Amino acid sequence: MVSLLKKLIGSRNDRLLKQYRKLVTQINALESKTAALSDAELAAKTDEFRSRHAQGTSLDDLLPEAFAVVRESGKRVFGMRHFDVQMLGGIALHNGKIAEMRTGEGKTLMATLPVYLNAIAGKGVHVVTVNDYLARRDADWMGRLYGFLGMTTGVVVPQQPNDEKIAAYAADITYGTNNEFGFDYLRDNMEYRVEDRRQRPLAYAIVDEVDSILIDEARTPLIISGQAEDHTELYIRMNAVPPLLTRMASEPKAHEPEPEGDFWVDEKSQQVYLSEKGHETAERLLSQQGILPEGESLYDPRHISLMHHLMVALRANTLFFRDQQYVVQDGEVVIVDEFTGRLMVGRRWSDGLHQAVEAKEGVKIQHENQTLASITFQNYFRMYEKLSGMTGTADTEAYEFQEIYSLETVIIPTNKPMIRKDQNDQVFKTAQEKFNAILDDIRDCHERGQPVLVGTTSIENSELLAGLLKQAKLPHEVLNAKQHAREAEIVAEAGKPGHITIATNMAGRGTDIVLGGSIEKQVDLIRADESLSDADKETRIEKVRADWKPANEQVKAAGGLRIIGTERHESRRIDNQLRGRAGRQGDPGSSRFYLSLEDPLMRIFAGDRVRAIMERLKLPEGEPIEAGMVTRSIETAQRKVEGRNFDIRKQLLEYDDVSNDQRKVLYAQRNDVLEASSIRTSVENLAEAAVTDLVRQHIPADSVEEQWDVAALEKALAADWQIVLPLTEMLEKESSLTDDDILARVNDAVREVYSGKIALVGDEPWAQFERSIMLQAIDTHWREHLSSLDHLRQGIHLRGYAQKNPKQEYKREAFELFSGMLDRIRDDVVRVLLTVRVQSPEQVEQAEAETNQSHVQNVQYHHSDYDEALANADEATQNEQSAQQPARNVLPKVGRNDPCPCGSGKKYKQCHGKLA
């Protein structure tokens, strides 16, 4: 029924493309008219569009003319004309959707259409890329087109001076990485001066490689952290324990005897679990190491942090391997991005895992960090008024994009028909058989002059395959995180006849593999040579193109680019990205994945089923199984992993949504403090609220005088705020005073003290001091609150055993923590402002002189006289004996529901118990 309806009325994608094609027809109709404009007239169109938009013309109405102007400018600046399919993609991006375009279809050029149109509004457009190289390249390259049309372009990269960043964000179009945009948002909300903030309000963003940024990286939040306490020695000592524990052969199952060993590893969830015997062994080993006191339990509350350190040490030793999840470079452990194969310099695993890996590798252990500010990519990008994205592989994750970001995916057709041949997977019993088959395939392609791109999932595998090719005397290039600097050069050469390139995951490489080899770099060098005339330049460029033509024809005749996958990735998208490197713009190409039952994905998710088929067919050694059914069963396994990863990301987001709501409230308040010319009214309101709370603790509203504790209130005012107010005397003189009268008197006293301090300093300096104290209090308590939320989240799942919903419990407790934090901020600000001592310069000098004098007077010289020591010893003994006497509660014990001893007639919990 569904397929019948699709045939009759078309799919949602078909209907959207039909709408967009009508707009493309309008754009094409304007082409001849736009081509007749001079360069100056074309550039003047920008001001005309801005003026019309300011007068009420919407961007949607300006779209056909603006797109026609950009297309004509592209022809004049780059010598490239936007294809009609690029127009379709540009319309999808302008409408806040994800445009899925195959590799080589020109996404970078396509993005100039919606970027220019949305920059007309003057709110700033952010173009988000996956790495600094692409951000700089695209800003320089596409910046020529925007500059031609009279628009400014900026780029933000790490370690950039603040004034340069502010200028980049003030530009019409800003290029940068997802990390840098997110970190700048957090930094802006930690600044103490308005002029130091970088970003404007977040208006419109186009995310390149949107699946890599919004899906793959969404599991790791951005964190700005400061140094916390040092546990370096503990990590080193704890690293000696995992090698002494025995790993179980398999996970223990219910109603079956537990396998021998101390721990088991769950590779699906990337976790390690200790068995009952393992706990005992660990406690014994930790006692031998002198880490755990003899006879004490790891689960004693005093030693609970030891349990955490033991588990991260186990994870570091059993789940994290050099040249797979990380590399060691210049004495540091650097994370390798599992999806793009790039080094993530400066990024660290949290919860002590990075320190545990450093201890394992024997490199210098960096200090633990304390979170100062944090946000997930999901919540950062959802703050934009309008968000869109482009990639070659979004359709497999279309549900998640819609569910999390409300982003619809539009599949844009290719400019020329796709003729790449995707062959069925070949599955071998062992990894050795698989690599032999891969070598045979590569040798065959090399001899025929067909270029080969071999995709691997880790640096370790890429280097293993490189070693095998070296033994076979086959020339090759390796592109992984260790050859990051030569990336563009290696990819540009990968399409030459007979070239062999081994690469880790190819997401976001940003450079197309051109059949016959890329000639763009040579052309750019000729154009940049100022010693040549324009005529000489054109002659040389024509010769370079003529030399390239035979190589291009040779590669096409040999079958185009050959893609070989050495194993399947957890995500189908990563496999599709690898395949997408071949068959660009109607070029020929082919692809095949070679697998073995020893590959992680096969072993964990699909191995038993495929092994059973192989044994049933009685396949001889070295013979692969190749069938559509096997390929489909592998895709089913990948779908399961993708579904599990989606659940993890969704759960992370549900928890982060709680702190995100709180973050928005707190950052909004912080910005109000930062931007307000004076916060005097806010401070007075805080002081009034703090006074009311303090008074009501000792003198409850609508209570009888017998319930009042006026003496304690006097003490609290003097101790907390240094306000001396004789309330007891007042009551003796004026017996008619009510609780509200006392509250009013305290408020008056507070206002008087506060006004006196302002009078001594002056309005302007005091206003700056108020702002500084308020911002410091907000930042300090927010930092502590983030730490509390982290601890709460780690243990909240245990509430499930009490038949409570952990998420609801987390929301409830997080709200209580947030309310308590706001109260503490208020109390801190009021206490500091009321107790600060205002001194003249003369008083400061006098105080310093007294302090220096007292330093000399307070110095003690030890080895005192024998008699004096004995006298002091007698006094110390008396003090010690009195200190040993137990403290006794002289008040009678009162139950919560008993009558209150004060005689009010209320239950204790409703009366003085409330104060207690």
Side-chain angles (χ1 to χ4, degrees):
M1 191 66 188
V2 172
S3 59
L4 179 65
L5 282 170
K6 278 186 181 175
K7 282 176 185 172
L8 291 172
I9 60 173
S11 66
R12 164 77 177 161
N13 202 73
D14 295 336
R15 294 197 299 278
L16 282 172
L17 290 176
K18 193 175 179 182
Q19 287 174 30
Y20 296 168
R21 284 194 176 99
K22 289 176 185 174
L23 280 171
V24 174
T25 306
Q26 291 178 40
I27 298 162
N28 290 343
L30 295 167
E31 189 163 11
S32 55
K33 182 182 167 187
T34 313
L37 298 173
S38 67
D39 286 2
E41 287 171 327
L42 205 57
K45 279 286 181 184
T46 302
D47 288 335
E48 181 198 317
F49 292 147
R50 282 180 168 153
S51 173
R52 284 165 60 188
H53 181 63
Q55 289 164 14
T57 308
S58 71
L59 293 179
D60 290 348
D61 294 336
L62 290 173
L63 187 148
E65 290 177 72
F67 276 30
V69 164
V70 177
R71 175 185 263 176
E72 184 57 36
S73 303
K75 288 189 324 201
R76 297 186 193 186
V77 176
F78 303 125
M80 294 190 286
R81 178 185 179 275
H82 292 76
F83 301 131
D84 283 1
V85 292
Q86 287 173 307
M87 291 285 166
L88 293 174
I91 296 164
L93 290 181
H94 169 67
N95 288 336
K97 300 189 188 301
I98 290 173
E100 183 187 286
M101 293 179 76
R102 292 290 179 94
T103 304
E105 292 293 303
K107 291 188 284 291
T108 308
L109 184 65
M110 178 262 286
T112 57
L113 299 159
V115 165
Y116 173 76
L117 175 60
N118 284 272
I120 287 166
K123 295 179 182 177
V125 175
H126 292 176
V127 184
V128 187
T129 65
V130 288
N131 60 57
D132 302 337
Y133 160 72
L134 288 179
R136 287 194 184 95
R137 186 203 72 172
D138 292 356
D140 290 344
W141 186 17
M142 296 300 130
R144 286 159 50 198
L145 187 148
Y146 303 130
F148 177 79
L149 287 168
M151 284 190 172
T152 54
T153 309
V155 60
V156 291
V157 289
Q159 280 84 51
Q160 192 175 13
N162 206 38
D163 55 342
E164 286 182 23
K165 265 200 177 154
I166 292 167
Y169 280 115
D172 296 311
I173 299 128
T174 309
Y175 283 81
T177 63
N178 49 325
N179 292 336
E180 208 55 27
F181 282 123
F183 281 134
D184 281 341
Y185 168 75
L186 294 176
R187 288 184 195 114
D188 280 358
N189 285 288
M190 294 169 71
E191 293 296 353
Y192 279 69
R193 297 191 312 162
V194 174
E195 57 268 29
D196 288 339
R197 292 188 302 182
R198 304 151 191 80
Q199 293 182 344
R200 294 188 274 171
L202 305 176
Y204 177 53
I206 294 178
V207 183
D208 192 9
E209 302 297 346
V210 66
D211 51 340
S212 179
I213 290 172
L214 296 191
I215 303 272
D216 298 338
E217 294 203 30
R219 275 189 285 180
T220 50
L222 290 174
I223 296 172
I224 292 180
S225 54
Q227 191 169 303
E229 55 189 311
D230 186 12
H231 289 135
T232 303
E233 184 63 30
L234 184 55
Y235 284 110
I236 294 169
R237 292 170 70 186
M238 196 62 83
N239 187 59
V241 177
L244 303 174
L245 296 172
T246 313
R247 181 172 173 169
M248 291 179 175
S250 63
E251 184 180 331
K253 292 181 174 62
H255 313 301
E256 288 183 19
E258 192 170 88
E260 278 296 309
D262 300 312
F263 68 93
W264 76 91
V265 179
D266 185 346
E267 292 183 271
K268 288 184 187 178
S269 63
Q270 291 282 290
Q271 290 297 332
V272 181
Y273 299 96
L274 281 173
S275 65
E276 198 66 43
K277 177 176 172 285
H279 279 112
E280 292 168 11
T281 312
E283 283 174 357
R284 179 172 48 78
L285 292 169
L286 290 173
S287 295
Q288 288 170 5
Q289 294 265 353
I291 300 172
L292 183 72
E294 191 71 44
E296 294 204 15
S297 168
L298 263 176
Y299 285 102
D300 189 298
R302 286 174 297 171
H303 308 307
I304 203 72
S305 67
L306 290 180
M307 191 70 205
H308 169 73
H309 280 83
L310 175 63
M311 296 316 288
V312 291
L314 271 168
R315 286 186 71 206
N317 279 271
T318 56
L319 289 165
F320 289 79
F321 302 103
R322 192 170 181 160
D323 289 344
Q324 289 185 28
Q325 286 86 359
Y326 64 91
V327 296
V328 177
Q329 203 173 70
D330 301 325
E332 285 186 21
V333 170
V334 183
I335 302 172
V336 175
D337 188 331
E338 65 170 307
F339 297 99
T340 65
R342 297 177 186 282
L343 291 182
M344 301 167 79
V345 179
R347 295 282 283 275
R348 293 176 66 79
W349 289 304
S350 58
D351 291 332
L353 179 59
H354 210 100
Q355 284 83 356
V357 173
E358 286 169 334
K360 182 181 95 170
E361 291 295 338
V363 300
K364 186 186 175 198
I365 297 174
Q366 308 288 332
H367 286 298
E368 286 182 27
N369 291 325
Q370 177 189 9
T371 301
L372 306 180
S374 168
I375 194 168
T376 58
F377 281 126
Q378 291 111 316
N379 278 322
Y380 173 72
F381 283 108
R382 291 195 305 186
M383 285 192 290
Y384 280 90
E385 285 177 37
K386 183 163 70 172
L387 180 66
S388 61
M390 51 188 185
T391 181
T393 46
D395 193 40
T396 56
E397 310 291 349
Y399 176 73
E400 183 166 350
F401 283 124
Q402 185 67 55
E403 185 84 359
I404 304 290
Y405 304 98
S406 302
L407 282 172
E408 189 174 7
T409 303
V410 181
I411 301 168
I412 308 296
T414 54
N415 185 45
K416 293 179 181 176
M418 170 69 72
I419 58 169
R420 184 186 68 229
K421 294 173 185 171
D422 294 330
Q423 298 169 324
N424 281 329
D425 299 358
Q426 285 195 349
V427 185
F428 295 83
K429 274 188 178 176
T430 66
Q432 185 60 52
E433 292 172 10
K434 174 182 81 172
F435 281 116
N436 289 341
I438 289 170
L439 278 173
D440 291 342
D441 196 341
I442 293 172
R443 191 179 286 109
D444 173 56
C445 293
H446 181 67
E447 287 167 359
R448 290 187 293 102
Q450 184 177 14
V452 187
L453 175 67
V454 187
T456 65
T457 56
S458 69
I459 297 170
E460 187 183 42
N461 282 347
S462 69
E463 291 180 343
L464 169 69
L465 193 60
L468 294 173
L469 288 174
K470 198 172 182 181
Q471 285 176 13
K473 294 186 170 55
L474 289 168
H476 60 278
E477 284 278 13
V478 180
L479 173 56
N480 59 33
K482 293 182 178 178
Q483 280 78 33
H484 178 63
R486 294 183 56 234
E487 178 179 312
E489 182 190 330
I490 294 171
V491 173
E493 301 289 303
K496 287 190 173 178
H499 259 240
I500 302 166
T501 309
I502 304 169
T504 49
N505 303 327
M506 292 296 290
R509 292 291 174 202
T511 311
D512 288 331
I513 296 175
V514 181
L515 301 188
S518 176
I519 57 170
E520 288 306 313
K521 195 172 269 188
Q522 296 174 57
V523 169
D524 287 344
L525 287 171
I526 293 167
R527 287 204 170 116
D529 192 344
E530 293 178 5
S531 64
L532 299 172
S533 66
D534 288 348
D536 287 344
K537 284 179 184 176
E538 289 307 314
T539 307
R540 291 202 181 187
I541 289 168
E542 284 302 315
K543 186 178 184 307
V544 167
R545 294 193 194 282
D547 292 343
W548 167 79
K549 198 76 178 161
N552 178 261
E553 294 299 331
Q554 183 188 342
V555 170
K556 282 184 176 176
L561 181 67
R562 171 71 165 172
I563 301 291
I564 295 175
T566 59
E567 62 184 274
R568 286 279 193 172
H569 195 274
E570 281 185 358
S571 168
R572 287 171 296 162
R573 282 182 301 103
I574 308 297
D575 295 340
N576 292 341
Q577 281 164 356
L578 177 63
R579 274 192 159 135
R581 293 284 148 188
R584 58 181 289 282
Q585 290 293 333
D587 285 341
S590 61
S591 70
R592 167 166 272 158
F593 280 85
Y594 291 88
L595 315 174
S596 82
L597 296 181
E598 295 173 10
D599 294 346
L601 184 82
M602 296 293 291
R603 183 167 47 78
I604 298 168
F605 294 101
D608 294 342
R609 195 183 312 162
V610 179
R611 192 185 297 277
I613 295 169
M614 283 182 149
E615 284 170 1
R616 211 172 295 135
L617 295 172
K618 294 184 172 60
L619 290 173
E621 192 176 326
E623 189 71 26
I625 183 168
E626 179 186 339
M629 181 182 72
V630 174
T631 303
R632 282 193 298 276
S633 78
I634 293 162
E635 283 193 2
T636 303
Q638 287 175 305
R639 277 197 188 92
K640 283 181 191 170
V641 183
E642 287 166 8
R644 204 184 104 260
N645 288 340
F646 170 54
D647 289 340
I648 291 169
R649 287 188 292 267
K650 193 174 179 187
Q651 190 160 339
L652 172 77
L653 184 62
E654 283 172 351
Y655 280 107
D656 192 64
D657 277 344
V658 177
S659 57
N660 190 55
D661 292 340
Q662 296 176 0
R663 185 189 299 115
K664 283 179 181 173
V665 170
L666 191 90
Y667 282 177
Q669 288 185 359
R670 197 183 187 282
N671 286 329
D672 288 345
V673 171
L674 206 57
E675 292 165 6
S677 55
S678 170
I679 60 165
R680 184 72 37 80
T681 309
S682 301
V683 170
E684 286 170 356
N685 290 339
L686 289 180
E688 195 171 321
V691 166
T692 304
D693 269 11
L694 184 64
V695 171
R696 291 307 178 200
Q697 281 175 29
H698 299 89
I699 303 176
D702 303 321
S703 60
V704 293
E705 199 170 320
E706 286 75 14
Q707 293 174 259
W708 298 0
D709 194 347
V710 178
L713 177 58
E714 281 183 1
K715 280 182 186 174
L717 286 169
D720 293 352
W721 297 343
Q722 293 178 10
I723 292 175
V724 179
L725 197 60
L727 293 173
T728 312
E729 283 181 31
M730 288 180 190
L731 272 170
E732 286 171 0
K733 288 176 183 174
E734 303 172 64
S735 56
S736 60
L737 282 176
T738 64
D739 57 315
D740 289 335
D741 293 333
I742 292 173
L743 178 58
R745 297 274 174 101
V746 176
N747 267 319
D748 289 342
V750 168
R751 277 193 284 270
E752 189 181 333
V753 169
Y754 198 60
S755 302
K757 291 181 188 293
I758 297 169
L760 280 170
V761 175
D763 272 356
E764 189 58 37
W766 188 262
Q768 290 176 11
F769 179 64
E770 281 176 329
R771 181 178 284 109
S772 176
I773 293 300
M774 183 84 90
L775 293 174
Q776 281 178 18
I778 289 171
D779 291 348
T780 303
H781 288 288
W782 176 245
R783 207 158 48 227
E784 291 168 2
H785 180 67
L786 287 175
S787 180
S788 301
L789 287 182
D790 278 347
H791 293 141
L792 178 65
R793 190 182 304 182
Q794 284 168 16
I796 202 74
H797 64 279
L798 298 171
R799 304 284 175 91
Y801 293 113
Q803 303 302 307
K804 291 181 179 178
N805 183 331
K807 284 172 197 161
Q808 290 303 324
E809 289 289 295
Y810 180 75
K811 285 178 183 176
R812 183 180 60 77
E813 293 216 12
F815 177 74
E816 287 174 10
L817 285 171
F818 188 65
S819 301
M821 180 198 72
L822 293 178
D823 288 344
R824 287 194 301 279
I825 291 172
R826 179 199 68 194
D827 293 344
D828 268 14
V829 170
V830 173
R831 192 184 67 253
V832 171
L833 292 175
L834 286 176
T835 57
V836 67
R837 288 175 61 194
V838 179
Q839 292 180 319
S840 65
E842 293 80 14
Q843 288 172 313
V844 172
E845 285 174 20
Q846 186 184 345
E848 283 178 355
E850 287 172 4
T851 305
N852 293 335
Q853 195 178 3
S854 70
H855 277 310
V856 176
Q857 289 168 345
N858 289 335
V859 173
Q860 290 185 351
Y861 298 92
H862 293 275
H863 295 298
S864 52
D865 290 342
Y866 185 72
D867 295 335
E868 189 183 334
L870 280 178
N872 290 342
D874 290 341
E875 190 180 330
T877 308
Q878 289 169 8
N879 292 338
E880 187 179 335
Q881 285 171 351
S882 63
Q884 286 172 355
Q885 296 301 315
R888 290 187 175 86
N889 186 0
V890 294
L891 297 172
K893 191 169 183 181
V894 185
R896 281 172 49 75
N897 291 308
D898 293 345
C900 189
C902 75
S904 65
K906 293 183 181 178
K907 287 184 179 179
Y908 179 64
K909 67 180 180 184
Q910 299 294 344
C911 190
H912 279 73
K914 212 173 189 179
L915 303 178

